[in-house]
Amino acid sequence: MASIPASRLSPLLLLLGSVALASAATVTYDFNITWVTANPDGMAERPTIGINGQWPIPIIEANVGDQLVVNVLNSLGDESTSLHFHGLFMEGSPHMDGPSQVSQCPIPPGSSFTYNFTINQPGTYWYHSHTRGQYPDGLRGPMIIHDPKTPFKDMYDEELVLSVSDWYHDRMPGLLSFFMSKANPTGAEPVPKSALFNETQNLEVLVKPGKTYLFRMVNIGAFAGQYVWFEGHNITILEVDGIYTQPAEASMIYLSAAQRCSFLLTTRNDTVGNFPFVASMDTTLFDKLPEELNWNVTGWLVYDKKEPLPEPAEIPGDFEPHDDMTLVPWDNQTLYTNPDQSISLDVIMDNLNDGANYAFFNNITYVSPKVPTLYTVLSAGDLATDPAVYGEYTHPFVLEKDQVVEIIVNNLDSGRHPFHLHGHAFQAVWRSEEEAGTFQDSGVTDADFPKTPMRRDTFVLYPDGNVVLRFKASNPGVWLFHCHIEWHVQSGLMATFVEAPLALQKTIEIPKDHLAACAADGFPTKGNAAGNTADFLDLSGQNAPPGPVVKGFTTRGIIALAFSCLSGIIGVIVIAWYGFADASPETYDEARARIAESDLVAPAIDSPVAQRVETAPAMRESGAGTVST
């Protein structure tokens, strides 16, 4: 059985046996969320969010059909928190989805909170905080849902979990404060310090020759997409984002933040050497490349511990990862046609009048409501079908039960964006090349879409390009649609889908500990986005972003312009007067005499100023250059 040396053991690389239970079980985790100290790249110790005093945090494991209970105690002291189980649809339990002010209030320090839901999906997932950009501080880890009936169970010998991520040396509150400020008007995202495998570096994975391993890989990072390859080995993709696929051979994959991929890797039949595997950050996402940044991280498939660990080979030319658009779902689900509702969203980055740079869908940058949107659904009665009650700045769309919904996203930005939909996996029916412009101008129709489009829950939109996504609104709940670059979440690149709200009112009841978390922080649990209950259409007092940049000149601007013009005119007059004056250079003695006659104090003869004055004539005569005094 494969093992990892104790000196390199990472808690996130666990051998996962194929455990098949005869019947569904209740799987319980008790999580005390605390601060710990960590130094995963060996460059800087820093406060990190751990669970039960440890970091990396545990892998969550369960089987299809199990009931999962996660009891959370927030012991952070200075921050609220929450948990989102990324990729799980939460069918029948939308109040367990986890994003703060969407399906719950944040869990304040000292409070307890229980997530309790049944899992009906197999595959590779992850869980992370969904509160105030918190998860890059450490609250992130894989989540594996085993499937005793997987169609691939006879194709591999063992399972391994491998995470890839980016790492910052500073805590998120400080980074976010700078990122969303007038000191950063271009909206340049902080560049991570390091890339990590299983929250560490120089990872060794012991393997045996002639074996086939199922690698479950997840990008739990905040920003960087990662190119991943295994030297001397090809892989066979079997799953993306919890969706089984027809087997597809690949030599390299690309995982954006939040994407997952499960693949087979068959080891060689000999033990003559060890082989590097590499993750390389997608540096096109970064506005600049700090000199100290090493955007690669290397691990090794170790066949023989006595053999050296070779350096990875350089990749010639551009990266060429497997195109996930070519994947075919195992179940051959056909294209959803004739969408009942089509939603077009333009990605825009722009400044508001506080000087900071924000992200917009169309003209709206997301701002959290005072009442969690799900709680507004449950308290609004028949008005729950009116998008207005959810506030302008949650960017809400109300969906009817079982509608086929189409989302068209046009990227009017020069960067990539990995878009994630809560509560669903979508059909990715179209993705343009880079610089292709908007979908509306493309001339593309349903005839150009694949008959069996690939599905996943996180999909990358290329710079200045467009995508078309479709799903069936068969899961009542409140579901976010957002870019999974955490900086863009915090700058507002989110929209809200309120799905079958009247049906939702009949199916769920908010647990007492969830309501208690709201009460502890003073959040209302009834009312519209503004917290108003007397009139749900009265949005006065709703949370709102800063106003737009004022067009033209303000009064202060006019005054500043006037003084600037006056200063310019005076400057021109002085320059002209000086130009007509005697331009012959002063001698050293003349300069000394002028200074002595003035109110100024002459510098000492050996001072730098005096020395510069003294050498000026000689340098001018020699043509050596210009000297300033």
Side-chain angles (χ1 to χ4, degrees), residues 250-262:
S251 58
M252 177 186 290
I253 59 173
Y254 180 93
L255 289 180
S256 74
Q259 286 186 327
R260 294 90 65 208
C261 183
S262 294

Side-chain angles (χ1 to χ4, degrees), residues 585-588 611-625 627:
E586 284 184 304
T587 66
Y588 171 70
Q611 291 169 1
R612 289 198 297 273
V613 172
E614 184 177 19
T615 59
M619 292 188 70
R620 290 194 185 105
E621 289 169 6
S622 68
V627 177

Side-chain angles (χ1 to χ4, degrees), residues 80 149 172 421 524:
S80 296
K149 298 180 180 179
M172 288 298 288
L421 176 61

Side-chain angles (χ1 to χ4, degrees), residues 218-274:
V218 52
N219 186 340
I220 59 175
F223 185 13
Q226 305 265 8
Y227 298 93
V228 181
W229 67 95
F230 293 75
E231 289 191 12
H233 301 74
N234 280 340
I235 63 175
T236 302
I237 298 170
L238 299 181
E239 175 223 336
V240 289
D241 297 0
I243 304 298
Y244 290 147
T245 69
Q246 304 287 348
E249 297 294 322
S251 58
M252 177 186 290
I253 59 173
Y254 180 93
L255 289 180
S256 74
Q259 286 186 327
R260 294 90 65 208
C261 183
S262 294
F263 50 84
L264 300 179
L265 183 149
T266 299
T267 56
R268 302 162 72 97
N269 288 322
D270 54 63
T271 59
V272 296
N274 303 314

